[in-house]
């Protein structure tokens, strides 16, 4: 391999490649030799007859060495299972037990069109890109170490805030459990736009489309709300890392510089997502906004639009809204958060500690039943005193200069920022289990939620999201099971639609029509079962108050107005929000369900944490948008 600053004619060898001639450079060995490159089909045939291998040797513990097989990083094992036909970039190293006489590996390389992209003599290895389904064949050999050729970040992923660690999202940022970027789906952010040319997002904003028909809408993100939402979901800047920094994004601008959108523009964005979901691998759509007019979900056009996404395999996350009060349930009558299919998210105030015993519903977070009797939200996530990216010239910065935490970052509160936390969680679930339906993703998030002891029943749904093992189950329960039986295939409508008339008749005649959703044994051992979600998930509301004639079509027309869900009147004394302190980091690291690799902690916190371990061993007002 040619090296800058070295002799151009220099040749080098390794146990893996040796020396020889290939493509004008001197490089071959017992493995590659001087042979030509055969057809890819020949490689497939060789792999098909090679000895199958088990993912791990029986009887060995998690940290035991398996000397009979090569090491395959767990994230690659998962990739081979979940996305066997995708191409993965890997680094293959040899160790002292490697035998160049292993003919299968020689043939694997000699007969393949998949030539290495780079020889890595320093570590006695090579970098190459291969189909994920062939990884296990390599693992059957002896003396190799196969790891992802993962992106290297200058400062790594870390956050100064507590929330990504408390809910367990930081667990997949690095180390053996890190998500392979190619496996992570794209999140569509339907908002005010995204300032894409900043370190938080790198090259991960795949598309930017403007749908706003309001006159006061600057190019990019004049409001700042969409950039903040995107940062919470998928920001990657050191110290300000969001929930899933490996996720890609598409920016669909529907809001003007005051945080207002026409509902017709939001629906147009939904239509674009449906048309482009396969092109950009969009599996999640985030709506941190709500309509200004109360409605029934069976008639509201925005509800119908997000249902189209849901029925076409796009997981929809909607903010509950910031019109709640501390006096009791506010109800959730506004689209799209009032739709029973989608995942509606309320806001938790995490109290500045990892402990769930000081967690409370944010006082402005909306909750209660929709006009059709469905309990909302289903879950809650951190949403108070959040710090995220914002354009310096945005209207949010102009309105709240006292909340600027650092140049380009601001502290805000709202269910707007709880929703992208859940969008990030959904991205992690789908990265591991891409075949899950939106119903199942919703079930996984509900089944893994942790109770909030100090929350009134229903105010935070089944609890605060928690990315534990239950969140990554391959067979989650379906909380929409009772609704799914009213889905019909409508060729004229272009796919599945909801038979609202049949549902209405069933719900009117039986108050227990939805019991099938909660009778499954899959729900039996979840921690919130003692709250009896079945008792609150649907209420026999007064049908006279929600009859079809009660809401006129004019009230939910496409020219209706939608508002962002940022609680602009919520204030705290510290613009840095709930920071990750060494004490709270120690509590997080002590919890095996959510403990992340230590390199995700900010350097100062990690250093202080080491000192701590060494020592130990001897009501705010709220003004809902706009």
């Amino acid at each position: 391999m040619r090296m800058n600053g070295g002799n151009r004619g220099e040749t080098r060898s390794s146990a893996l490649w040796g020396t020889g001639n290939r493509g004008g450079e001197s490089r071959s060995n017992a493995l590659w030799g001087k042979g030509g490159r055969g057809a890819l089909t020949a490689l497939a045939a060789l792999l098909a007859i090679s000895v199958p291998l088990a993912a791990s040797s029986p009887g060995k513990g998690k940290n035991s060495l398996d000397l009979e097989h090569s090491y395959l990083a767990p994230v690659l094992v998962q990739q081979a299972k979940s996305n066997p036909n995708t191409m993965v970039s890997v680094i293959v190293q040899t160790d002292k037990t490697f035998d160049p006489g292993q003919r299968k590996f020689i043939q694997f390389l000699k007969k393949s069109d998949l030539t290495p992209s780079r020889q890595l003599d320093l570590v006695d290895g090579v970098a190459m890109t291969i189909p994920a389904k062939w990884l296990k064949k390599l693992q059957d050999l002896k003396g190799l170490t196969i790891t992802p050729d993962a992106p290297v970040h200058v400062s790594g992923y870390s956050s100064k805030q507590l929330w990504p660690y408390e809910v367990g999202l930081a667990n997949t940022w690095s180390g053996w459990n890190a998500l392979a970027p190619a496996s992570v789906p794209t999140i569509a952010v339907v908002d005010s736009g995204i300032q894409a040319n900043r370190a938080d997002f790198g090259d991960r904003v795949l598309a930017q489309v403007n749908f706003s028909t309001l006159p006061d809408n600057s190019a990019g993100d004049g409001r700042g709300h969409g950039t903040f939402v995107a940062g919470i979901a998928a920001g990657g800047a050191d110290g300000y890392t969001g929930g899933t920094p490996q996720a890609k994004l598409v920016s669909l601008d529907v809001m003007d510089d005051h945080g207002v959108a026409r509902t017709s523009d939001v629906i147009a964005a939904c239509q674009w997502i449906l048309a482009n979901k396969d092109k950009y691998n969009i599996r999640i759509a985030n709506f941190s906004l709500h309509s200004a007019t109360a409605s029934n979900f069976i008639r509201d056009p925005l509800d119908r639009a997000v249902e189209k996404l849901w029925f076409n395999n796009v997981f929809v996350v909607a903010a509950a809204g910031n019109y709640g009060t501390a006096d009791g349930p506010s109800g959730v009558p506004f689209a799209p958060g009032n739709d029973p299919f989608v995942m509606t998210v309320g806001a938790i105030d995490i109290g500045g500690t990892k402990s769930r015993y000081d967690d409370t519903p944010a006082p402005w977070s909306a909750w209660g039943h929709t006009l059709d009797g469905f309990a909302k939200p289903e879950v809650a996530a951190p949403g108070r005193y959040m710090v995220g990216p914002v354009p310096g010239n945005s209207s949010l910065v102009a309105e709240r200069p006292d909340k600027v935490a650092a140049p380009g970052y601001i502290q805000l509160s709202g269910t707007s920022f709880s929703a992208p936390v859940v969008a990030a969680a959904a991205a992690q679930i789908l990265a591991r289990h891409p075949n899950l339906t939106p119903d199942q993703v919703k079930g996984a998030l509900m089944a893994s939620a942790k109770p909030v002891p100090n929350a009134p029943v229903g105010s935070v749904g089944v609890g605060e999201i928690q990315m534990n093992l239950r969140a990554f189950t391959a067979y989650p329960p379906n909380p929409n099971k009772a609704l799914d039986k009213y889905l019909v295939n409508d060729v004229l409508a272009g796919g599945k639609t909801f038979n609202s008339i049949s549902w209405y008749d069933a719900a009117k005649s039986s108050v227990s029509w939805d019991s099938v959703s909660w009778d499954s044994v899959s729900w039996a051992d979840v921690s919130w079962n003692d709250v009896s979600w079945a008792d609150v998930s649907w209420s026999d509301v007064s049908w006279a108050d929600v009859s079809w004639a009660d809401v006129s079509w004019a009230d939910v027309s496409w020219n209706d107005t939608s508002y962002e869900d940022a609680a602009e009147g919520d204030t705290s004394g510290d613009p840095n929000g709930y920071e990750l302190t060494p004490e709270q980091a120690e509590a997080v690291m002590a919890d095996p369900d959510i403990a992340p690799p230590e390199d995700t902690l900010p350097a100062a916190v990690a250093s202080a944490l080491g000192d701590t371990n060494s020592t130990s061993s001897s009501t705010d007002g709220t003004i809902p948008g706009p």
Side-chain angles (χ1 to χ4, degrees):
M1 178 170 59
R2 294 177 179 174
M3 304 286 290
N4 291 335
N7 295 328
R8 289 187 174 273
E10 182 181 4
T11 63
R12 39 177 55 87
S13 65
S14 71
L16 191 57
W17 294 106
T19 59
N21 196 359
R22 173 174 155 265
E25 297 185 20
S26 295
R27 184 186 301 163
S28 77
N29 67 3
L31 296 179
W32 192 264
K34 298 182 179 180
R37 297 162 56 190
L40 193 59
T41 53
L43 173 58
L46 283 168
L47 291 174
I49 62 173
S50 64
V51 179
L53 91 124
S56 61
S57 296
K60 293 185 179 294
K62 178 179 178 181
N63 298 317
S64 300
L65 290 176
D66 179 2
L67 300 179
E68 299 304 317
H69 299 93
S70 290
Y71 173 79
L72 182 63
V75 67
L76 294 176
V77 173
Q78 184 63 45
Q79 184 79 346
K81 292 179 181 178
S82 302
N83 299 285
N85 294 319
T86 60
M87 302 295 288
V88 292
S89 297
V90 297
I91 294 174
V92 183
Q93 304 173 71
T94 64
D95 62 35
K96 62 183 180 181
T97 66
F98 176 71
D99 178 8
Q102 295 183 103
R103 302 306 302 174
K104 283 186 297 184
F105 189 64
I106 296 172
Q107 296 302 316
F108 176 90
L109 297 172
K110 287 181 68 175
K111 300 295 184 180
S112 172
D113 283 337
L114 301 175
T115 54
S117 60
R118 176 168 293 174
Q119 182 175 330
L120 305 172
D121 299 310
L122 187 64
V123 295
D124 204 1
V126 294
M128 62 190 306
T129 300
I130 62 174
K133 62 186 176 184
W134 292 344
L135 289 168
K136 287 181 177 288
K137 304 296 185 180
L138 283 180
Q139 191 187 18
D140 193 38
L141 304 176
K142 185 178 180 180
L144 300 176
T145 297
I146 307 118
T147 54
D149 190 1
V152 176
H153 303 272
V154 174
S155 301
Y157 295 135
S158 72
S159 178
K160 300 174 185 177
Q161 298 175 83
L162 173 60
W163 69 265
Y165 303 97
E166 172 167 336
V167 299
L169 286 167
N171 189 263
T172 64
W173 291 354
S174 70
W176 71 270
N177 200 35
L179 297 175
S183 71
V184 184
T186 300
I187 302 171
V189 178
V190 184
D191 214 283
S192 62
I194 297 176
Q195 183 186 24
N197 61 339
R198 53 186 299 146
D200 301 82
F201 309 119
D203 59 355
R204 292 180 294 116
V205 181
L206 305 183
Q208 295 179 278
V209 187
N210 180 21
F211 292 95
S212 178
T213 57
L214 295 174
D216 191 11
N217 182 44
S218 302
D221 184 11
R223 179 61 175 165
H225 189 267
T227 300
F228 194 102
V229 167
I232 296 298
D238 185 33
Y240 297 97
T241 299
T244 304
Q246 303 93 336
K248 280 78 68 179
L249 298 161
V250 295
S251 171
L252 307 180
D253 185 353
V254 298
M255 290 182 188
D256 68 6
D257 293 355
H258 305 289
V260 179
R262 288 192 184 278
T263 301
S264 56
D265 295 339
V266 181
I267 293 171
C270 294
Q271 185 170 305
W272 185 93
I273 293 172
L274 191 59
N276 292 275
K277 65 184 182 67
D278 294 334
K279 177 180 179 180
Y280 295 106
N281 191 28
I282 301 170
R283 294 295 308 278
I284 302 148
N286 188 93
F287 295 82
S288 291
L289 49 78
H290 71 269
S291 173
T293 305
S295 66
N296 303 89
F297 85 98
I298 53 180
R299 298 193 62 180
D300 192 289
L302 181 51
D303 283 319
R304 294 178 66 185
V306 296
E307 285 174 8
K308 280 286 188 181
L309 297 180
W310 191 271
F311 302 154
N312 283 276
N313 216 28
V314 177
F315 182 75
V316 176
V317 186
N322 303 323
Y323 45 86
T325 68
D327 299 331
S330 59
V332 182
F334 304 112
N338 68 338
D339 192 276
F341 284 97
V342 309
M343 176 67 92
T344 305
V345 185
I348 283 279
D349 182 343
I350 64 175
T353 76
K354 189 262 181 188
S355 172
R356 63 190 176 99
Y357 290 98
D358 63 354
D359 292 357
T360 58
W364 31 259
S365 184
W367 65 282
H369 286 89
T370 71
L371 296 184
D372 301 292
F374 294 93
K376 291 286 183 171
E378 286 89 356
V379 294
R384 201 173 197 195
Y385 310 144
M386 310 283 278
V387 178
V390 66
N393 60 351
S394 65
S395 60
L396 279 176
V397 169
E399 292 171 7
R400 300 305 304 271
D402 58 316
K403 293 305 162 192
V404 173
Y409 295 90
I410 193 171
Q411 182 223 100
L412 297 170
S413 296
T415 56
S416 269
F417 317 124
S418 303
V421 174
V422 174
Q428 293 194 7
I429 291 172
L430 288 168
R432 297 282 169 77
H433 300 293
N435 294 326
L436 292 185
T437 67
D439 288 338
Q440 291 174 311
V441 175
K442 184 177 181 180
L445 289 165
M446 293 178 71
S448 59
K450 65 180 180 181
V452 182
N454 296 322
V457 173
S459 61
V460 294
V462 299
E464 180 182 358
I465 69 158
Q466 184 84 160
M467 299 306 289
N468 51 35
L469 289 177
R470 183 181 288 274
F472 294 104
T473 177
Y475 303 101
N478 177 8
N480 291 339
K481 187 176 181 180
L483 284 167
D484 285 350
K485 67 181 180 180
Y486 300 104
L487 296 181
V488 295
N489 286 315
D490 189 333
V491 177
L492 295 179
K496 291 181 179 178
T497 60
F498 183 67
N499 188 334
S500 56
I501 296 176
S502 295
W503 169 80
Y504 180 87
D505 290 341
K508 190 172 182 179
S509 62
S510 173
V511 296
S512 60
W513 68 272
D514 71 333
S515 61
V516 64
S517 293
W518 313 108
D519 288 344
S520 169
V521 293
S522 301
W523 296 103
D525 60 348
V526 296
S527 59
W528 50 262
N529 196 52
D530 57 351
V531 176
S532 187
W533 177 251
D535 293 337
V536 299
S537 63
W538 187 81
S539 172
D540 182 17
V541 295
S542 171
W543 288 102
D545 293 337
V546 296
S547 68
W548 288 11
D550 190 50
V551 181
S552 69
W553 186 257
D555 290 337
V556 292
S557 70
W558 286 15
N559 285 324
D560 192 7
T561 304
S562 297
Y563 294 98
E564 65 186 28
D565 281 314
E568 295 171 17
D570 204 22
T571 60
S572 78
D574 184 357
N576 292 312
Y578 289 135
E579 295 183 87
L580 180 69
T581 64
E583 294 75 18
Q584 297 312 314
E586 184 176 13
V588 168
M589 299 301 287
D591 186 341
D593 283 342
I594 61 172
E598 192 166 316
D599 64 2
T600 68
L601 303 175
V605 172
S607 176
L609 181 62
D611 294 340
T612 300
N613 290 339
S614 174
T615 302
S616 62
S617 63
S618 63
T619 6
D620 298 321
T622 178
I623 306 173

